[in-house]
Amino acid sequence: MCIRDRLSAMPNNSTVFVYGRLSGKAPSVDSLKDQMEKENKKLQWFSVTEYKIIKDPEERKKALEYIQKDVKEGGKLFKINVVKKFTLDEFKMAFETYTKVASTGKVIIIPNP
């Protein structure tokens, strides 16, 4: 189901949270702007740090520290599949690789030394 279909199925004054793009293609928000404004619908990119799932600031801090620790240690819960690392000079090759693996892993671009 494309983003246009999802927005059409949603009631007015609602929000769709985008947490990833399995297709690797960014949704064309410009073509949806009129529909979104008319029906007061919002498109929100999901972020653990911005979306206040945990209301208590101290509990939220603990949860974020837990997530950061897990990712740094290889990710038992939040594993990130790094397909390949590229230097900034290899940006074009990195982008080509990303378009092929967007739904299965991440491409990392490292600044040149």
Side-chain angles (χ1 to χ4, degrees):
M1 181 182 274
C2 73
I3 194 73
R4 180 179 301 284
D5 295 337
R6 291 182 194 279
L7 279 171
S8 294
M10 294 168 43
N12 291 353
N13 306 312
S14 51
T15 303
V16 62
F17 287 89
V18 179
Y19 61 91
R21 297 183 307 259
L22 295 179
S23 69
K25 298 175 186 173
S28 176
V29 178
D30 289 338
S31 67
L32 305 171
K33 187 177 178 188
D34 290 339
Q35 177 187 359
M36 292 172 67
E37 287 178 357
K38 179 180 173 187
E39 298 172 0
N40 195 29
K41 295 179 181 178
K42 296 178 183 87
L43 188 63
Q44 173 74 43
W45 299 106
F46 181 80
S47 169
V48 173
T49 58
E50 292 175 16
Y51 188 63
K52 310 290 192 263
I53 295 172
I54 303 171
K55 304 268 187 234
D56 178 62
E58 197 58 40
E59 288 298 314
R60 187 170 49 250
K61 181 180 177 193
K62 286 180 190 175
L64 291 172
E65 287 171 352
Y66 176 79
I67 292 168
Q68 289 171 346
K69 182 177 185 262
D70 181 69
V71 170
K72 283 181 185 175
E73 293 175 353
K76 290 182 181 179
L77 293 174
F78 301 97
K79 184 161 179 70
I80 298 171
N81 179 28
V82 177
V83 174
K84 190 160 182 181
K85 294 180 183 181
F86 295 91
T87 65
L88 192 54
D89 290 337
E90 301 170 310
F91 176 80
K92 187 175 180 181
M93 191 179 347
F95 185 76
E96 289 170 4
T97 302
Y98 164 76
T99 61
K100 295 174 186 169
V101 301
S103 63
T104 59
K106 303 293 181 194
V107 171
I108 305 294
I109 298 176
I110 302 167
N112 295 330

